[in-house]
Amino acid sequence: MSEPSELWHYTTFDSLMAILQSQSLLAMDFRALNDTQEFKHGIKVLKEMFSIEGFAPSEHFERVQDVLSDVETRCDGQVISLSAAPDSLSMWRGYSGAVGGNQAVAIVFDVEDLKTLVQRHAENKLSQFSGPRKVRYDTSCLPQLNGTDVQAKLEEGGHISVVCQVNDWIKFTKNKAFREEGEYRLLCSGGVGSIERRRQSYQVVNGEFRKIFRLSFDDEKIFMNLKKPLAIKELWAGPKMNFDKLERYTQNYFSQFGCGRPDIKQSRIPFI
């Protein structure tokens, strides 16, 4: 299946205003996602496979146990979640406050622009952003913890290397019940270094250090090096969102920078 050319970020009108004013997205610690079980799902799958396969010899069994223990206790990193599901009822319900409200909006990002920002923006590179990468909803590419390559690595002291391999697999594996979300993720490192503090590449929200993903190369030239200003291809008003309000706000915002606003569309879903 080919990679999508656009990815959706379902959110609220207030969050949209914050994103436009800051010209950025905020990543969230992987362990603090909306569904706190997401991280545990990958660990559970690996532990089940580990117990079924009948690992031997005993020394390797203990080494793999140490790897899984390390992954479970030390897994860090932050994530920005996007979706390949356009105008999705479940996404409006789950991620944009649409139920019982009238503030739901979706930002449609240009994937090529997102990759440009990942690869070329100095602060995004400093925070080690990567992606966007597709989330798996099955156990494909399962780390072969009983394979000869892993056994050799662990015997040679390659514990950290195997932990990183398992860590990466877990961060892009999700329960199949969520398949219709069509999730893609931008991932970055979890730590905040001294250089990053000086550059203000994070924001503290409710006691959480959240990495900043910049959507522009220049605060005054939001279209520099990008196909679309701030990498935004379209904006969608949710099922109950006031279309005119969204149109007025975005028209005024983008006109400050001498460029037209993105296309705005209304959700085709009649109600939530």
Side-chain angles (χ1 to χ4, degrees):
M1 187 175 178
S2 61
E3 182 182 81
S5 61
E6 59 187 40
L7 290 170
W8 290 52
H9 182 62
Y10 291 85
T11 187
T12 64
F13 182 72
D14 287 344
S15 292
L16 169 66
M17 289 194 295
I19 289 167
L20 293 181
Q21 292 301 324
S22 66
Q23 299 179 16
S24 64
L25 294 169
L26 290 180
M28 179 176 287
D29 191 287
F30 188 75
R31 295 159 295 187
L33 294 173
N34 289 337
D35 181 359
T36 56
Q37 297 301 310
E38 287 186 26
F39 165 66
K40 295 179 181 178
H41 172 70
I43 289 285
K44 181 184 176 190
V45 169
L46 289 175
K47 283 185 173 180
E48 287 175 352
M49 291 298 295
F50 180 65
S51 62
I52 290 170
E53 289 186 3
F55 278 62
S58 59
E59 283 187 22
H60 182 60
F61 183 91
E62 291 174 4
R63 290 190 186 110
V64 173
Q65 279 189 319
D66 288 344
V67 166
L68 294 179
S69 176
D70 239 11
V71 168
E72 197 164 10
T73 57
R74 297 187 184 184
C75 179
D76 69 350
Q78 298 195 16
V79 63
I80 295 171
S81 294
L82 304 166
S83 172
D87 197 18
S88 163
L89 175 60
S90 64
M91 295 302 289
W92 287 122
R93 281 177 167 168
Y95 297 96
S96 63
V99 177
N102 59 358
Q103 297 291 306
V105 299
I107 307 168
V108 183
F109 288 106
D110 183 276
V111 170
E112 191 175 323
D113 278 348
L114 289 177
K115 289 181 177 180
T116 298
L117 289 162
V118 165
Q119 296 164 6
R120 296 177 56 188
H121 195 292
E123 285 188 46
N124 293 341
K125 289 169 67 177
L126 185 67
S127 293
Q128 300 177 351
F129 273 100
S130 64
R133 282 174 57 189
K134 186 178 182 179
V135 169
R136 293 178 293 262
Y137 296 93
D138 54 38
T139 55
S140 62
C141 305
L142 189 73
Q144 301 301 307
L145 297 178
N146 205 22
T148 54
D149 288 349
V150 170
Q151 287 194 41
K153 270 186 185 178
L154 292 177
E155 286 172 4
E156 294 166 5
H159 174 85
I160 296 300
S161 173
V162 177
V163 167
C164 291
Q165 177 188 348
V166 174
N167 226 331
D168 184 77
W169 182 83
I170 286 173
K171 289 174 181 177
F172 289 95
T173 302
K174 202 168 178 179
N175 192 293
K176 63 183 179 181
F178 299 95
R179 188 183 297 274
E180 65 180 282
E181 292 180 352
E183 186 176 352
Y184 281 71
R185 289 175 172 173
L186 291 167
L187 209 67
C188 69
S189 63
V192 178
S194 57
I195 295 177
E196 293 171 318
R197 284 199 291 273
R198 290 201 295 273
R199 293 189 182 213
Q200 294 295 300
S201 61
Y202 70 91
Q203 183 175 330
V204 180
V205 181
N206 296 326
E208 294 275 358
F209 280 76
R210 299 181 63 178
K211 288 291 188 72
I212 294 172
F213 181 76
R214 302 292 181 186
L215 293 172
S216 65
F217 288 91
D218 187 301
D219 291 347
E220 299 298 324
K221 299 175 182 177
I222 61 174
F223 41 79
M224 179 185 287
N225 299 328
L226 300 172
K227 291 163 55 182
K228 303 290 183 182
L230 302 181
I232 298 174
K233 190 173 182 179
E234 295 175 350
L235 293 166
W236 280 64
K240 296 181 182 179
M241 177 66 199
N242 185 318
F243 182 92
D244 292 337
K245 179 181 178 180
L246 178 60
E247 186 176 45
R248 286 195 304 273
Y249 177 78
T250 52
Q251 182 65 50
N252 286 328
Y253 175 83
F254 284 96
S255 66
Q256 300 175 88
F257 303 96
C259 59
R261 59 163 177 75
D263 289 340
I264 300 178
K265 299 181 180 179
Q266 182 78 53
S267 171
R268 299 183 184 92
I269 297 171
F271 57 84
I272 295 293

